[in-house]
């Protein structure tokens, strides 16, 4: 049995209901849970177990023998977890108690453990469920992301606290598009939660629309940039549904801004806003010195408020992004520097890609997100990803991977298609920003989290 107050608990599995039981049992016992998806390799599991200080593991499915042995060697014991309810554990008396720990990629090679407090989780769930006006007992919410990716916190707790159903898509099902769409179309799905990459993958099916998903009332996106082209495609396919754009890093409990997207907003600019901050949350932009920039000026987005994590676990290797920063209203405030470029105009937040998505090519500084945006806006293009190809550690040229319905044609046709794209891009981009190589594919590969797998794309080129 799971005892109270004796350290974090690893919860291992994929999309089994036993994972949810494990999460809720941990909340009931006052112990942080650490989601461990089966896609996580052994070496990373070992590092996560060490960094989190986990003392127990709950297996929602049998783990490979080497993983079990690794955890035993670390002194981690296997436990069963009692069943538990949901909503009451979001309002326990200690808001500073850690609810869960999500691990993200670290620049030093070590995963970064992000502890999220009960108060932060409760604030996020109350804000989003109130905004989305979920009907108790009548919602079916899509779960696309694995539970080790914090996007899943959104769909999991929206379904739990509304007494709804969680429609969970396994990685194996997503890898079989015919079966995936059959499962979606036979469901009573009412709330779609996913990354924009995953919905672009689904838009490649001509049947993906209101006739196949007649009960779908809202589509909510987080984790990546939602493009104008994708939003317009969804507005056309689902004319009666609401399209919501949200934004927030793991360090600030899933999402801190939101906005309903309509055609009027799509027509206002090339980049969609990510919304207004949740009540109690603050978002502003700063310069390299950490001081606020003027309204509308681009800088690094900074977030403060009750949804902030207290900071990474066991990080001693330099700046973490957490700490006191100059407050726009005077004084200082504990805040998180996101590493995202953006600006705030009239209270509306715009995110314009990662600071680290800038590359220098032959002396020119380029924004890869901008190039991808222009390619996605072209006719018949379903998706795009641009990668810098390196030589001796320096960017030598750009390669574009383009989702296209007519991929796989004769090489001559792909060559002509690439030439046509170059010609179109030349009216918006300087010559040095136009990719040298174009590869056409049916759809871009996705990671287990539902984001574009850029590492796999790089391996597709010689």
């Amino acid at each position: 049995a799971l005892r109270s107050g004796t350290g974090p608990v690893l919860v291992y599995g994929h999309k089994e209901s036993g994972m949810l039981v494990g999460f809720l049992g941990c909340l009931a016992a006052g112990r942080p849970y650490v989601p461990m998806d089966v896609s996580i390799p052994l070496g990373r599991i070992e590092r996560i177990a060490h960094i989190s200080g986990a003392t127990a593991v709950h297996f929602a499915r049998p783990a490979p023998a080497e993983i079990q042995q690794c955890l035993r060697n670390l002194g981690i014991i296997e436990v069963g977890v009692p069943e538990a309810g949901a909503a009451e554990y979001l309002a326990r008396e200690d808001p500073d108690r850690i609810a869960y720990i999500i691990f993200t990629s670290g620049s030093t090679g070590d995963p970064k453990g992000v502890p999220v407090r009960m108060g932060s989780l409760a604030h996020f769930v109350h804000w989003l469920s109130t905004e989305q006006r979920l009907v108790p007992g009548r919602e079916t919410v899509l779960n696309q992301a694995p539970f080790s990716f914090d996007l899943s916190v959104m769909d999991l707790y929206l379904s739990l606290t509304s007494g709804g159903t969680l429609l969970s898509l396994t990685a194996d099902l997503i890898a079989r598009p015919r079966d995936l769409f059959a499962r979606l179309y036979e469901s009573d799905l009412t709330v779609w939660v996913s990354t924009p990459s995953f919905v672009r993958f689904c838009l490649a099916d001509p049947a993906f629309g209101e006739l196949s998903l007649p009960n779908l009332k809202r589509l909510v996106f987080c984790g990546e940039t939602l493009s104008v082209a994708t939003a317009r495609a969804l507005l056309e396919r689902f004319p009666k549904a609401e399209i919501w754009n949200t934004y927030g890093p793991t360090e600030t409990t899933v999402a801190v801004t939101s906005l309903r997207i309509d055609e009027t907003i799509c027509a206002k600019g090339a980049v969609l806003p990510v919304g207004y901050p949740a009540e109690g949350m603050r978002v502003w932009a700063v310069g390299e010195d950490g001081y606020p920039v003027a309204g509308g000026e681009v800088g690094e987005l900074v977030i403060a408020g009750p949804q902030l994590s207290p900071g990474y676990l066991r990080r001693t290797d330099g700046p973490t992004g957490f700490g006191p920063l100059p407050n726009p209203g005077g004084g200082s405030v504990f805040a998180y520097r996101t590493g995202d470029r953006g600006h705030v105009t009239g209270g509306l937040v715009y995110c314009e890609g990662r600071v680290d998505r800038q590359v220098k090519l032959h002396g020119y500084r380029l924004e890869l997100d901008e190039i991808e945006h222009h390619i996605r806006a072209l006719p018949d293009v379903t998706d795009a990803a641009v990668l810098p190809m390196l030589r001796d550690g320096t960017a030598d040229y750009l390669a574009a991977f383009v989702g296209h319905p007519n991929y796989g044609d004769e090489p001559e046709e792909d060559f002509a298609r690439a030439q046509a794209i170059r010609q179109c891009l030349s009216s918006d981009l300087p010559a040095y920003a136009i990719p040298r190589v174009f590869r056409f594919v049916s759809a871009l590969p996705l990671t287990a989290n539902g984001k574009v797998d850029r590492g796999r794309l790089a391996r597709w080129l010689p």
Side-chain angles (χ1 to χ4, degrees):
L2 183 65
R3 294 183 298 168
S4 299
T6 54
V9 179
L10 308 178
V11 181
Y12 178 89
H14 183 48
K15 295 296 185 79
E16 297 84 4
S17 59
M19 292 198 78
L20 277 62
V21 172
F23 300 159
L24 296 176
C26 289
L27 292 180
R31 298 178 63 172
Y33 65 84
V34 186
M36 304 284 287
D37 190 73
V38 296
S39 62
I40 299 175
L42 175 60
R44 186 176 174 88
I45 287 177
E46 184 175 18
R47 294 300 300 148
I48 286 174
H50 171 71
I51 295 168
S52 67
T55 58
V57 59
H58 172 66
F59 291 113
R61 69 159 65 178
E66 60 268 23
I67 290 178
Q68 296 188 44
Q69 186 61 54
C70 170
L71 297 180
R72 282 195 294 268
N73 292 343
L74 293 171
I76 295 174
I77 63 171
E78 182 179 353
V79 294
V81 182
E83 291 197 28
E88 63 268 32
Y89 298 115
L90 296 180
R92 293 173 68 96
E93 62 279 8
D94 184 6
D96 289 329
R97 182 168 59 82
I98 301 302
Y100 64 82
I101 303 169
I102 292 280
F103 279 79
T104 65
S105 297
S107 59
T108 64
D110 249 356
K112 296 187 294 187
V114 182
V116 172
R117 291 177 284 210
M118 290 293 296
S120 299
L121 178 58
H123 186 280
F124 164 72
V125 172
H126 175 74
W127 161 63
L128 196 64
S129 59
T130 300
E131 181 178 72
Q132 293 301 316
R133 310 180 311 281
L134 301 189
V135 181
R138 298 181 61 183
E139 304 289 358
T140 299
V141 185
L142 181 69
N143 164 236
Q144 164 251 312
F147 295 125
S148 56
F149 179 31
D150 79 318
L151 174 60
S152 67
V153 173
M154 181 184 290
D155 50 68
L156 171 60
Y157 285 96
L158 283 181
S159 63
L160 286 174
T161 56
S162 69
T165 299
L166 190 69
L167 177 64
S168 199
L169 305 179
T170 65
D172 178 64
L173 182 64
I174 292 173
R176 305 191 315 271
R178 181 175 296 181
D179 294 335
L180 166 66
F181 290 117
R183 180 73 182 92
L184 287 173
Y185 299 159
E186 71 184 11
S187 74
D188 294 321
L189 196 64
T190 62
V191 181
W192 180 285
V193 177
S194 83
T195 60
S197 288
F198 182 72
V199 85
R200 287 198 298 267
F201 172 82
C202 292
L203 282 166
D205 179 18
F208 182 70
E210 186 176 82
L211 292 179
S212 297
L213 291 166
N215 298 318
L216 191 58
K217 297 182 295 185
R218 51 183 46 81
L219 298 95
V220 186
F221 299 101
C222 195
E224 292 176 307
T225 300
L226 177 66
S227 69
V228 172
T230 299
R232 280 183 163 149
L234 292 170
L235 290 168
E236 181 178 348
R237 300 274 191 104
F238 298 95
K240 298 178 183 177
E242 298 178 1
I243 312 299
W244 287 82
N245 199 16
T246 73
Y247 163 76
T250 304
E251 292 82 354
T252 62
T253 315
V254 191
V256 296
T257 71
S258 67
L259 183 70
R260 183 179 174 183
I261 303 298
D262 56 22
E263 182 54 45
T264 301
I265 293 174
C266 288
K268 286 184 177 179
V271 178
L272 292 176
V274 294
Y276 294 97
E279 184 177 358
M281 299 301 298
R282 299 178 57 204
V283 183
W284 68 97
V286 301
E288 292 184 4
D289 58 3
Y291 281 86
V293 300
E297 185 177 334
V298 174
E300 181 181 2
L301 294 178
V302 166
I303 301 173
Q307 287 181 208
L308 259 66
S309 167
Y312 301 121
L313 298 177
R314 304 191 183 199
R315 298 294 287 194
T316 60
D317 52 358
T320 64
F322 292 97
L325 282 176
N327 191 338
S332 65
V333 63
F334 182 79
Y336 176 68
R337 295 182 68 151
T338 65
D340 294 323
R341 295 175 65 256
H343 64 93
V344 183
T345 302
L348 196 57
V349 181
Y350 291 78
C351 182
E352 301 179 16
R354 294 287 299 171
V355 172
D356 54 15
R357 286 275 287 155
Q358 292 182 340
V359 299
K360 206 163 190 180
L361 180 67
H362 307 312
Y364 297 101
R365 188 167 295 280
L366 303 176
E367 294 285 351
L368 299 182
D369 293 311
E370 178 188 10
I371 301 170
E372 290 175 0
H373 162 77
H374 286 293
I375 297 175
R376 289 193 188 110
L378 298 176
D380 293 327
V381 171
T382 59
D383 207 350
V386 175
L387 276 67
M389 305 311 295
L390 305 180
R391 175 178 294 177
D392 299 326
T394 302
D396 185 48
Y397 64 93
L398 300 180
F401 295 84
V402 181
H404 199 282
N406 298 322
Y407 87 104
D409 290 341
E410 294 299 321
E412 296 81 7
E413 295 195 26
D414 274 353
F415 177 79
R417 191 174 292 119
Q419 289 295 88
I421 290 179
R422 289 189 182 96
Q423 182 63 37
C424 291
L425 293 178
S426 65
S427 62
D428 295 298
L429 297 173
Y432 57 80
I434 297 176
R436 179 194 301 179
V437 173
F438 285 86
R439 287 283 300 273
F440 295 94
V441 296
S442 60
L444 300 183
L446 304 181
T447 66
N449 292 345
K451 296 185 179 183
V452 173
D453 191 340
R454 297 179 185 274
R456 185 175 172 190
L457 288 175
R459 293 192 294 273
W460 286 1
L461 289 175

